[in-house]
Amino acid sequence: MAEDFKEMPNNPLEHDKYAPKEFKVLGRRGITRIDGYKKAAGKAIYTRDIQLPGMLYAKFLTSPYPNARISKMDTSKAENLPGVRAVLRYDDPEVFGRRVVTTYGGCEDMLAGYAYFEGQQIGAVVAADTEQIAREALKLIDVEWDVRPFVLDPEGALRSGAPLARPEWADNNLNEVPPSPLSEVFRIGNVEAAFEQADKVIEFKAVRRYHGGADTELPCGIVRWEGDCLELWLHHQHPYEHKWTMHKYLGVPMNKIKVNAPYNGGMYGGWNWIAYSQIATGITAILAKRTARPVKWVFDRREDFVFGSADAMVTYFKVGANKDGTISSVKLKSFYENTGFWAETHLLENTRIPNIEAENVTARVNKGPTIALRCEQLPGCFVMAHVFNHVAAELDMDPTEVALKNDGAEGKDINYLNKFKRKHGFPLRDSLRECIEAGKKAIGWDKKWHPAGAKELPNGKMHGMGFIWSHEWDDNRGAGVAGVFIQQDGSANIVAFRTDIGVNAETTYCQVVAEELGMKFEDVFFRQQDDVYLPLMTPDGSCNLTTNSYVLRKAARKAKRRLLELATTEVHLIERNIAPAFPGMQPEDLEVKGSEIFVKSDPSKRKKIAEVVKDMDGSMNWGLEYAAIQCTTHAPVFAWAYHRQGRYGTEPGRHRLCRQAHFCEIEVDTETGKIEIKKIVNVNDVGKALSPEAVEGQQYGGTYMGIGRNLNEEYVWDPCSGVLLNGNLLEYKWATMLDIGEIETIIVETGMGYGPYGTVGIGEDVATITTYLLESAVFNAIGKWIDDGPITPDKVLKALGKA
């Protein structure tokens, strides 16, 4: 059979040689979003909107202390309050002794009788007729607390005699999950020898304060039992995983658990990665079983401030560089709060720096868990930004030139990468140079960039230019499965289960299937949010699009092959004969375009897909000849496919080839310390933009997230009580359109991604890397480093000696 119809296994090291030379649907602008009208019109149904007959509401008791244990509890008053249907306690037999492994180490009770941060949901859960009754019942629970000393500082937590932040977990505050790279030292080369030979050696300290964020839609979930079958409605990015966790926690067979995933409002990781999101559902299932009624658990805004970002860290830097701008060595020691990641990753993966040593230490403190929130790559971006910012400043060099001089991978330069590209069939393009040139032109870099502290504007403010760069994550990890139907009217449906979080993925999947089938976009549809046992990769960072596009491309190619077989194969029915649409032809003689099948050698011979399949009914008794093609569904054509790749898709010998570069122009008021953002330019090489508007949405929205974290976002705890003081959206500041000026988004398409059609994901990139864009711009404006994020006005004034 012709090459077009073969199964194309993905070689994770190879360029996508089977990508179409000309695209009809993918990359096209102006395609209407599948979810657009419902969301814009306010008609979309989210988990929090769902009401079931007889539904109860569950609320959790929260700890008023950062480190405490319940010594005595009396719930009788709460149980006797009218409208209260059940109170589940930490010492009840349904939960007592049940333990769950928490994310990145540690083990705790399913419903704990102890707290390790203020506001932790522990001790008791009330199920009542209304949320208000449940809240009132919580106030009636009498608790005697064993209050223990607490610690908030990661370095302080490691000092001799420091309080234990997790007495129930371990006998120390270190990450207690051996073996773990987070408690080891990473080394390549010889940093000490390189420091001896460097022209410049720089030492400094940088801090990223604990910050987090909140979901647009507050966390919630619904549980209902029907006999021994469990049904869930989830506000979660990983609905299918709840089958496994409910099986583990409750012993329910996975084939008796049905999951529904309505629209999810604004999810950015975080909540989806911590145990509470699973525990809350399990606890509610116990209450639903006890009361024989559906139960919805709901968090208010304060309760949503549970977790923080994984770059809550302090890092000590030592960097060696040469006068020409090449960086020879980097030594790091990083202290993380509660959860750490690998700080050296971006230096290793996309620079030529040959000597790197990084010690990553995770300390337990009495704050909520930290996890991948808007991306786990934050520590790598944090380190990358500070190393390159400081080297460029120390050498009085244009930072874009320093970036270009150090581009590479795993200590090897761009020439090595070019050899790699040639070997594996990639275009020989310089992604970073293309991104930098496009960004410099858009922001006017060559005319506007200047030495630090050298440009005072007529309005008395100081002018600053900032730059930052890294690679695109190019993450293809995970697995997915999906089916493609072609129905009797010639329309096609994607059948799969996944969560929608508003990033336009469903529309893009339809574009992939339409492109591969040769159909019009409007003839393909997908919006599956209830459990059909075909789970696609759920929204999971930057791998969602690439992983699922592999799945759907495979399924669509199979469906196309079967469609053309059907169009050329004599079909025998018991009651009547149906002649093929193209008698005497073979499948490879035909092509599909614009939802029409035609003969390649004579395009005037054509029929609409609907004409070809209208008399085909898969439920009828086909003869044996056709049975091998299709006989298992009412639809004339059905094909399914599965794709799986390693955890990060970074198999040995593979390098990330696509780059990104971001620029900003700011003004700093030296009297007030206020930073005014005049313009941001985002340049991302996404390989191939399957949906340009979706890419621009990630760039635009990611800029607000990243710059907002740089300007404002920080959790503030009372050092005396350990109480979180700004757990709301009044004191915890998100950036709005009033805080950031013009944003220009630029898409570069080199085709050097490992995903289908040479694409890479962009879901996490911009929100992650722009978190550290302002450091270089503020230094360029005032000539003083503020390596303590966020960069608030008081820190600017302090750096200027005015506070």
Side-chain angles (χ1 to χ4, degrees):
M1 186 166 287
E3 187 179 77
D4 286 348
F5 300 103
K6 291 180 181 178
E7 283 303 306
M8 307 300 183
N10 171 44
N11 182 338
L13 290 178
E14 297 295 333
H15 178 254
D16 182 6
K17 64 186 71 174
Y18 302 109
K21 294 181 175 60
E22 181 182 355
F23 291 92
K24 304 297 182 183
V25 183
L26 287 172
R28 202 176 87 198
R29 291 182 178 270
I31 292 177
T32 301
R33 287 181 59 144
I34 287 174
D35 60 347
Y37 173 76
K38 282 191 173 183
K39 290 179 178 177
K43 295 183 178 181
I45 301 299
Y46 296 82
T47 309
R48 207 162 180 98
D49 298 325
I50 293 174
Q51 304 290 323
L52 299 180
M55 188 172 73
L56 303 176
Y57 294 83
K59 297 290 292 183
F60 284 72
L61 183 72
T62 58
S63 172
Y65 303 104
N67 196 359
R69 189 176 188 92
I70 297 173
S71 58
K72 187 176 181 181
M73 174 184 284
D74 184 355
T75 56
S76 59
K77 293 178 182 177
E79 292 165 358
N80 292 326
L81 182 68
V84 170
R85 305 300 172 180
V87 176
L88 184 66
R89 297 165 48 109
Y90 70 99
D91 51 3
D92 282 345
E94 293 102 319
V95 293
F96 185 74
R98 285 190 176 180
R99 312 204 79 192
V100 296
V101 176
T102 59
T103 309
Y104 293 98
C107 188
E108 64 184 83
D109 296 337
M110 190 174 179
L111 183 58
Y114 54 88
Y116 56 80
F117 65 93
E118 182 266 332
Q120 182 176 348
Q121 291 83 10
I122 67 162
V125 188
V126 173
D129 292 342
T130 68
E131 282 188 69
Q132 183 60 38
I133 293 174
R135 290 193 191 97
E136 292 299 320
L138 290 176
K139 296 176 184 177
L140 298 177
I141 297 176
D142 293 324
V143 183
E144 292 183 12
W145 298 92
D146 174 17
V147 181
R148 306 179 293 205
F150 63 89
V151 59
L152 300 175
D153 169 43
E155 292 181 88
L158 299 174
R159 296 190 186 108
S160 177
L164 290 179
R166 308 284 193 277
E168 286 78 14
W169 285 19
D171 59 358
N172 58 57
N173 283 326
L174 293 174
N175 188 311
E176 61 275 0
V177 189
S180 171
L182 299 179
S183 58
E184 296 178 351
V185 177
F186 171 87
R187 290 187 184 93
I188 60 168
N190 187 330
V191 294
E192 299 302 335
F195 287 140
E196 291 292 329
Q197 298 178 13
D199 295 328
K200 290 274 188 179
V201 176
I202 315 162
E203 295 189 64
F204 61 96
K205 172 186 174 182
V207 179
R208 175 62 250 197
R209 302 287 171 179
Y210 190 111
H211 61 292
D215 295 326
T216 306
E217 179 189 3
L218 290 168
C220 59
I222 305 172
V223 176
R224 178 173 67 185
W225 290 89
E226 292 185 348
D228 60 350
C229 294
L230 182 64
E231 187 168 13
L232 313 174
W233 286 260
L234 300 174
H235 169 72
H236 206 277
Q237 286 178 222
H238 300 274
Y240 192 78
E241 289 183 2
H242 275 67
K243 289 193 174 192
W244 173 241
T245 54
M246 292 307 100
H247 168 68
K248 288 195 300 180
Y249 296 169
L250 306 174
V252 183
M254 292 178 69
N255 62 359
K256 292 188 177 182
I257 303 173
K258 181 181 179 182
V259 181
N260 303 285
Y263 284 124
N264 283 250
M267 304 198 77
Y268 315 113
W271 173 252
N272 304 277
W273 291 103
I274 61 174
Y276 299 109
S277 63
Q278 310 279 357
I279 290 174
T281 303
I283 292 295
T284 310
I286 294 171
L287 286 169
K289 176 74 78 172
R290 206 189 251 194
T291 60
R293 291 170 66 172
V295 179
K296 176 190 260 187
W297 64 268
V298 286
F299 280 8
D300 60 27
R301 181 58 71 191
R302 178 60 180 83
E303 292 168 323
D304 187 30
F305 278 76
V306 170
F307 50 85
S309 180
D311 61 330
M313 60 192 293
V314 178
T315 299
Y316 294 88
F317 293 80
K318 186 176 182 181
V319 183
N322 299 319
K323 292 179 181 179
D324 66 352
T326 56
I327 302 172
S328 60
S329 54
V330 177
K331 186 174 184 178
L332 311 167
K333 185 168 185 178
S334 300
F335 295 91
Y336 295 91
E337 299 183 24
N338 291 337
T339 301
F341 285 85
W342 297 267
E344 70 280 357
T345 53
H346 284 231
L347 296 178
L348 178 66
E349 292 173 353
N350 65 309
T351 79
R352 60 180 292 183
I353 303 171
N355 305 289
I356 301 172
E357 181 178 308
E359 182 178 359
N360 298 287
V361 182
T362 301
R364 303 296 185 188
V365 295
N366 292 110
K367 301 176 181 178
T370 51
I371 194 59
L373 171 63
R374 307 179 228 175
C375 188
E376 74 282 358
Q377 302 279 350
L378 279 156
C381 288
F382 171 85
V383 165
M384 178 94 169
H386 283 89
V387 166
F388 276 83
N389 289 344
H390 279 264
V391 167
E394 187 71 21
L395 298 175
D396 293 321
M397 290 184 65
D398 182 332
T400 64
E401 292 301 317
V402 177
L404 290 168
K405 284 182 177 290
N406 289 280
D407 191 14
E410 297 183 7
K412 303 177 182 67
D413 64 14
I414 195 69
N415 293 323
Y416 165 81
L417 277 185
N418 285 336
K419 292 178 183 177
F420 177 87
K421 295 170 193 175
R422 188 179 294 111
K423 178 180 178 181
H424 295 288
F426 288 94
L428 289 179
R429 295 176 63 172
D430 190 332
S431 179
L432 179 59
R433 189 171 295 278
E434 289 187 39
C435 290
I436 286 177
E437 288 177 355
K440 288 173 69 173
K441 181 180 178 180
I443 206 164
W445 181 268
D446 289 337
K447 292 183 179 180
K448 294 180 178 179
W449 185 78
H450 51 76
K455 186 173 181 179
E456 183 176 352
L457 298 168
N459 60 13
K461 298 177 182 179
M462 299 302 292
H463 178 268
M465 300 293 291
F467 165 75
I468 195 170
W469 73 286
S470 190
H471 59 280
E472 300 284 348
W473 300 176
D474 201 9
D475 194 347
N476 296 335
R477 72 183 183 275
V481 61
V484 173
F485 282 94
I486 300 177
Q487 319 236 31
Q488 281 92 339
D489 65 350
S491 65
N493 280 80
I494 299 170
V495 181
F497 175 52
R498 72 178 302 280
T499 294
D500 170 88
I501 61 169
V503 294
N504 200 27
E506 284 76 7
T507 308
T508 308
Y509 298 151
C510 289
Q511 291 177 257
V512 171
V513 170
E515 187 75 58
E516 293 291 344
L517 286 177
M519 296 181 72
K520 298 176 182 177
F521 170 77
E522 52 268 27
D523 290 339
V524 182
F525 185 74
F526 172 51
R527 191 178 67 79
Q528 192 71 46
Q529 295 177 336
D530 56 345
D531 199 338
V532 291
Y533 299 94
L534 293 173
L536 273 175
M537 183 74 180
T538 54
D540 191 6
S542 298
C543 61
N544 175 58
L545 174 67
T546 51
T547 299
N548 288 339
S549 291
Y550 274 126
V551 175
L552 294 166
R553 186 177 70 168
K554 290 177 183 179
R557 287 180 176 177
K558 285 183 180 180
K560 180 180 178 181
R561 181 181 68 227
R562 292 178 179 179
L563 172 66
L564 298 185
E565 287 174 342
L566 186 151
T568 57
T569 303
E570 194 74 32
V571 179
H572 298 285
L573 301 181
I574 291 178
E575 298 180 0
R576 64 189 190 279
N577 291 328
I578 300 177
F582 294 89
M585 295 286 177
Q586 296 299 314
E588 51 266 33
D589 298 328
L590 306 180
E591 188 52 270
V592 188
K593 182 179 178 180
S595 295
E596 292 185 328
I597 304 174
F598 61 90
V599 179
K600 291 179 183 178
S601 61
D602 184 0
S604 66
K605 296 179 181 179
R606 61 177 57 229
K607 290 187 178 182
K608 294 180 179 179
I609 292 175
E611 294 180 77
V612 174
V613 300
K614 66 178 181 179
D615 294 325
M616 305 299 174
D617 185 352
S619 66
M620 302 182 72
N621 187 5
W622 300 105
L624 293 178
E625 178 185 279
Y626 187 64
I629 301 172
Q630 181 65 48
C631 64
T632 59
T633 173
H634 288 275
V637 173
F638 171 65
W640 70 277
Y642 178 82
H643 178 80
R644 182 177 182 86
Q645 198 157 313
R647 184 170 188 267
Y648 284 102
T650 52
E651 290 76 2
R654 169 175 168 165
H655 302 296
R656 305 178 192 270
L657 305 176
C658 296
R659 302 289 189 254
Q660 57 179 314
H662 305 271
F663 299 80
C664 72
E665 182 177 4
I666 69 169
E667 294 179 8
V668 178
D669 188 327
T670 57
E671 295 302 317
T672 65
K674 182 179 179 181
I675 301 168
E676 184 177 352
I677 314 295
K678 306 303 291 185
K679 185 173 182 177
I680 305 287
V681 173
N682 309 124
V683 190
N684 288 82
D685 176 8
V686 296
K688 168 65 181 174
L690 306 188
S691 172
E693 288 99 339
V695 172
E696 290 166 345
Q698 296 286 5
Q699 291 176 301
Y700 192 84
T703 297
Y704 277 91
M705 291 188 191
I707 297 299
R709 287 197 279 197
N710 230 172
L711 283 174
N712 306 314
E713 293 193 38
E714 176 186 4
Y715 285 12
V716 178
W717 281 270
D718 179 356
C720 298
S721 66
V723 171
L724 179 63
L725 301 177
N726 62 336
N728 57 69
L729 295 184
L730 180 62
E731 281 92 12
Y732 188 90
K733 304 293 185 182
W734 277 359
T736 72
M737 63 179 62
L738 300 178
D739 299 304
I740 300 175
E742 178 187 356
I743 299 174
E744 183 173 348
T745 58
I746 300 172
I747 301 172
V748 174
E749 298 178 275
T750 64
M752 295 196 300
Y754 296 97
Y757 320 109
T759 193
V760 300
I762 188 179
E764 301 166 316
D765 289 5
V766 181
T768 308
I769 195 168
T770 56
T771 300
Y772 311 108
L773 178 59
L774 291 186
E775 274 93 345
S776 60
V778 171
F779 175 79
N780 187 248
I782 67 174
K784 304 289 184 182
W785 284 113
I786 303 176
D787 287 319
D788 185 353
I791 307 176
T792 49
D794 61 306
K795 294 176 185 176
V796 174
L797 294 177
K798 183 178 179 181
L800 292 170
K802 296 184 177 182

